[in-house]
Amino acid sequence: ERVRVRASATSANLGAGFDVLGLALDEPYDVIEVEPAERLEIRIVGKGAGSIPLDPEKNTAGLVAKAMGRDVLITIHSNIRPSGGLGSSAAPAAGTAFAINELFSLGYTREGLVPIAAKGEVAAAGVAHADNVGPCIMGGLTIVCGDHAKSVAMPDVSVVAILPDIEVSTKAARELLPACVPLREMVLNVGKACMLVAGASSKDPAMIGRSLMGSFNEKYRSPLIKGYEDVRAGALSQGAYGVAISGSGPTMIALCPGERSKHVEKAMIGQFGKHGISCESFITRVGQGVQII
Ligand code: HSE
């Protein structure tokens, strides 16, 4: 017996929602297969093969299987660029939690699986942040708070993702953030995060886009991404609603109307090019939570 799931890329933070908000993307996605085994073992095929550790103690999916107390063979068909800021470490963790729950009929709800899957992130980020595994399991725009997670449907927007050829590790990007932020900055960030969720609930993409920008997260981390401000301005000039660093970077995402997506993509790549940086890119939509396939 074997359970096979599709676990998609995600974009965490959405600016001010640091460690709280995340968006499920329709593509790319990993395929995770889980089957009972004599001992816990991990195999990786695809983009992460060779760079993602196979030792279960150092692998996000391995930590999840350990936390759930199951000896399984986990095969990860990996399609999300490692260290890109698109939840490459979260998708195997979320997919594994979901698949083990199915395989052994453990009866967890999707919400109940989020804190379990978050334990996997310790292997990648050093902390059990849930803003990638949350949307990967729940879909749409997901809010995580303590052991709770809630998904809100998004309006129909295109998501343009630009992956510049820059190395950023999640651990290093987390260390850049100050332990304390001034009260005034905290108030502005809470306001933006709330407005973003209100924008999703009221199907107002312009409100979502405005709320994506100007967070403390952007202020401290954007210097890691050469050309950040020009790339953001390029996207906005072509009709993007807003731009943010995806997770801990270096990927940047822009939300825009479907018919503007190619123009926004071209402008962002062009601006990175002016700074001598080459990019990969893709255009996708908001995705659903992990599914059995
Ligand atoms: N919220 C996490 C961070 C996401 O920004 O460090 C990492 O992908």
Side-chain angles (χ1 to χ4, degrees), residues 12-13 18-19 129 131-132 170 174 221 247-248:
N13 299 331
F18 177 73
D19 278 1
H129 69 88
D131 52 345
N132 288 110
T170 298
R174 291 187 80 85
R221 285 174 164 176
S248 56

Side-chain angles (χ1 to χ4, degrees), residues 10 12-13 17-21 85-87 89 121 125 127 129-132 170-171 173-174 177 217 221 246-249:
T10 46
N13 299 331
F18 177 73
D19 278 1
V20 173
L21 299 180
L86 288 164
S89 55
E121 290 283 28
V127 277
H129 69 88
D131 52 345
N132 288 110
T170 298
K171 271 188 192 150
R174 291 187 80 85
L177 298 174
N217 176 44
R221 285 174 164 176
S246 186
S248 56

Side-chain angles (χ1 to χ4, degrees), residues 201-267:
S201 302
S202 57
K203 302 270 180 283
D204 182 344
M207 186 188 273
I208 298 172
R210 272 197 309 279
S211 313
L212 272 179
M213 300 180 284
S215 63
F216 77 93
N217 176 44
E218 181 183 54
K219 173 170 134 189
Y220 290 103
R221 285 174 164 176
S222 58
L224 288 177
I225 304 172
K226 197 175 162 199
Y228 181 85
E229 281 176 15
D230 291 341
V231 175
R232 187 177 67 178
L236 296 175
S237 76
Q238 291 301 320
Y241 298 121
V243 177
I245 302 173
S246 186
S248 56
T251 295
M252 289 172 67
I253 57 155
L255 302 187
C256 64
E259 68 275 13
R260 298 305 305 164
S261 58
K262 289 250 178 261
H263 302 276
V264 169
E265 180 185 41
K266 192 170 166 217

